[in-house]
Amino acid sequence: MPAQPALATRPSAAPSPAAVRAPLPVLGLDVEVPLANGATVPHAALDYAASAPALRRVWDDVAAYLPHYAAVHRGAGHLSRLSTDLYEESRETVAGFLDLPAGHQVVFTRGTTDSLNLLASALPAGTRVYAFAGEHHASLLPWRRDGLHPVCLPLPRSPRRAVALLEEALAAAPPGPGLLCVTGASNVTGEVWPVAELARTARRHGVRVVLDAAQLAPHRRVSVRELGVDWVALSGHKLYAPFGAGVLAGRSDWLDDAEPYLAGGGASRAVERRDDGTVAVEWHRGPARHEAGSPNVVGVHALASACRALSEAGLDALAAREEALLGRLLDGLAGVPEARVLSLFGEDHPRVGVVSFTVDGWDGSRFSAALSEEYGIGVRDGLFCAHPLVRALLGGAPAAPAGCGAAGAAPPGGRRLDAVRVSFGAGTPDEHIERFLTAVRDLAGRERRRADR
C-alpha cells in the first residue's frame, strides 16, 4: 500500500534556492487599515486558517464568467447550458486535484462542516464513528445524532501513539459499520497527522475513513488514492476561493443508499401524487442526490479555479516557500523568551503554516487586539473551534464546548485560557512575517519592562 507522501521536518530559517519564489498574487495586499495612532498601514492578513484571501486568478476567472451567469441543469438557453458545462467541468477539476479513484464522486457543499454533516446523515444505522479529541468541532460533533455511536479517542502525544490508540479501540469494537474521521493538519498547531498509517489501521478492521482536509489541502498535495481514505472534505474559503463552496469527495455507495441531505428540486428524479394523497418520490443517484436546490455555480467555479491555480503553480514549490517562512517564524518566536508555541507532537514534527502560541503577561484577545491596532496585523485568538485540544495544550481541564471562536473562560482561581494563532500560505509576502515578528518582540518586551518596574 503506498505510504503517505514524505513531509519535511521543521525547516531552517535560511531558505534553499528552490524555496525562494514570489507568493501567489492575492487580493487585499493594498488594503489600508487604521492604527490606534491615526496612521494607516497595508493590512497583513495572517489568519489564513480561518479564511485565506482570494487568489487574483480566482477573481479574474469569476469576473469573466459572471456576465454569462445562469441557472444550471435542465435549462435550454445557451447561458444555462454554458453554466451547466462549467459546473460539471469544475467537478472534474476537483476530482483531479484530489486524485480520486475511478467510480468516486464529488458532491458540492457549503464547506467542510456541511460536508461532514452530510456524511453523518448518510451513515448506516449503528455506525461507530471514531475521532480524536484534537479534532476541530466540525469533525468532532456531527456524529452526535440518533443511530450513530461516536467514540472520542484520547489526545495522542505522538503519531505512533495515535495509531496505537486507534488499533486498541478498533480491536475492542463490536461488529458493525465503522468510520474514522481524522484531520490532515491541525487547525490549532498546523501539525500534520499520520493519515495514511491511520487509514491502513482502519482498513484492517473494515473501518472507513473520512479526511478533514480543510487545513491540509491549501498547503500540501492531497491524494485520496495514495492516502487510502474513503472520503475527503474541504472548504473553498480556506483554499483561496470565496463564495461559500465546499466538497465531499469519495465513495458513492453509502451516499447513494441514504436519504438525500436536502429534499427538493434537483435531488428528485420523479415526483407524483398517489391516489391516497401521499407523494411518491424517486431520488437521483450520484452527486445530484445531495445537491438539491439551485447550485452555487459561482462558488464552485471559484473553487475549481483555485485548484487549477495551485496545481499550475506547483504545490511542492509552494510548500517549499511556505516551509522557509515557517522556519523564519518559528525561529523568531523561539527568540522571544515570553512566547510559547503550542504543539501536540513536538516542535520538530512537520506542520503547515499554522502556529498557535501564548505570550507571558498577555491574554490572547488583548495581544491580538494590540497586533491589529498598533501594527495592522490580523490574527485570531481563542480556542479555534477545537476546545478540548487547546485547553489540553494550555494545561486547562477539559470542559464542555462553549461558543465557537470565543475565548476560553477563566477557570475558578485560574488564568484565562486562550491562545493566539498566526496562519499564512501561498499568498503571504515575506514582509508580513517580518512585521509580525517585530510586533511580537515589541509587545513582549513592553510587558517585560512594565513587569520589571
Side-chain angles (χ1 to χ4, degrees):
M1 200 63 63
Q4 184 177 13
L7 292 168
T9 56
R10 175 181 166 181
S12 166
S16 66
V20 180
R21 56 181 292 129
L24 287 184
V26 295
L27 301 179
L29 294 179
D30 55 352
V31 171
E32 296 273 330
V33 295
L35 302 182
N37 63 7
T40 62
V41 66
H43 185 241
L46 293 177
D47 195 15
Y48 276 48
S51 283
L55 289 173
R56 172 68 63 177
R57 159 77 174 274
V58 171
W59 173 259
D60 290 343
D61 283 350
V62 168
Y65 163 66
L66 280 176
H68 308 278
Y69 168 75
V72 306
H73 298 145
R74 298 172 304 283
H78 175 76
L79 296 189
S80 181
R81 295 198 305 271
L82 185 152
S83 294
T84 298
D85 289 345
L86 187 71
Y87 187 79
E88 295 304 330
E89 287 168 5
S90 296
R91 203 186 303 276
E92 295 177 8
T93 297
V94 172
F97 181 76
L98 296 173
D99 191 25
L100 283 185
H104 284 39
Q105 64 183 25
V106 172
V107 179
F108 289 120
T109 67
R110 294 179 297 165
T112 305
T113 301
D114 198 33
S115 294
L116 294 175
N117 276 271
L118 187 165
L119 182 60
S121 75
L123 298 182
T127 298
R128 297 178 71 83
V129 185
Y130 303 86
F132 289 93
E135 292 289 337
H136 187 283
H137 294 168
S139 302
L140 193 62
L141 302 182
W143 327 109
R144 294 160 49 88
R145 60 180 67 200
D146 292 343
L148 303 182
H149 302 289
V151 179
C152 186
L153 301 174
L155 280 176
R157 284 293 181 169
S158 71
R160 179 176 296 180
R161 182 60 180 153
V163 175
L165 285 169
L166 179 63
E167 175 65 41
E168 293 167 8
L170 298 186
L179 177 75
L180 168 67
C181 181
V182 63
T183 189
S186 170
N187 77 301
V188 175
T189 67
E191 292 168 309
V192 178
W193 276 65
V195 176
E197 291 84 349
L198 290 167
R200 284 196 292 271
T201 300
R203 282 198 305 276
R204 284 199 302 271
H205 293 273
V207 169
R208 299 189 184 189
V209 180
V210 58
L211 170 64
D212 175 352
Q215 299 297 338
L216 186 63
H219 302 276
R220 301 290 187 272
R221 187 174 72 90
V222 174
S223 169
V224 170
R225 192 188 310 270
E226 292 181 8
L227 293 173
V229 300
D230 298 277
W231 293 277
V232 60
L234 58 82
S235 298
H237 70 96
K238 299 183 191 296
L239 199 69
Y240 310 98
F243 306 109
V247 168
L248 177 67
R251 295 179 62 159
S252 304
D253 52 353
W254 284 1
L255 295 177
D256 280 346
D257 290 341
E259 287 291 303
Y261 184 48
L262 298 173
S268 54
R269 181 183 179 89
V271 180
E272 62 180 28
R273 182 186 182 280
R274 296 191 180 104
D275 292 340
D276 62 2
T278 61
V279 174
V281 183
E282 179 186 354
W283 302 109
H284 278 296
R285 298 178 70 82
R289 188 180 188 90
H290 299 288
E291 292 180 356
S294 297
N296 179 9
V297 61
V298 175
V300 164
H301 179 41
L303 174 56
S305 172
C307 290
R308 286 191 296 270
L310 293 172
S311 297
E312 291 167 7
L315 285 164
D316 290 342
L318 294 174
R321 179 179 181 275
E322 179 185 302
E323 288 172 358
L325 291 179
L326 180 60
R328 175 71 189 104
L329 175 67
L330 292 173
D331 285 348
L333 289 175
V336 179
E338 295 82 3
R340 179 171 74 92
V341 172
L342 304 185
S343 174
L344 185 64
F345 296 150
E347 65 176 17
D348 291 329
H349 187 78
R351 68 170 81 203
V352 299
V354 179
V355 176
S356 294
F357 65 99
T358 60
V359 180
D360 293 345
W362 294 83
D363 64 55
S365 60
R366 191 164 66 94
F367 194 85
S368 299
L371 289 174
S372 176
E373 294 167 2
E374 300 184 35
Y375 300 91
I377 297 170
V379 296
R380 186 152 296 241
D381 66 274
L383 303 180
F384 317 123
C385 299
H387 296 178
L389 173 59
V390 179
R391 288 194 170 112
L393 295 178
L394 293 176
C404 191
R415 63 182 179 82
R416 186 182 182 91
L417 289 178
D418 63 353
V420 178
R421 184 182 69 189
V422 55
S423 53
F424 56 93
T428 302
D430 294 18
E431 185 275 329
H432 288 185
I433 300 298
E434 296 304 325
R435 194 197 314 178
F436 170 78
L437 291 173
T438 297
V440 172
R441 286 191 292 265
D442 289 350
L443 294 173
R446 179 194 308 169
E447 188 66 19
R448 185 190 320 126
R449 290 188 295 273
R450 186 196 65 80
D452 288 343
R453 286 201 296 267

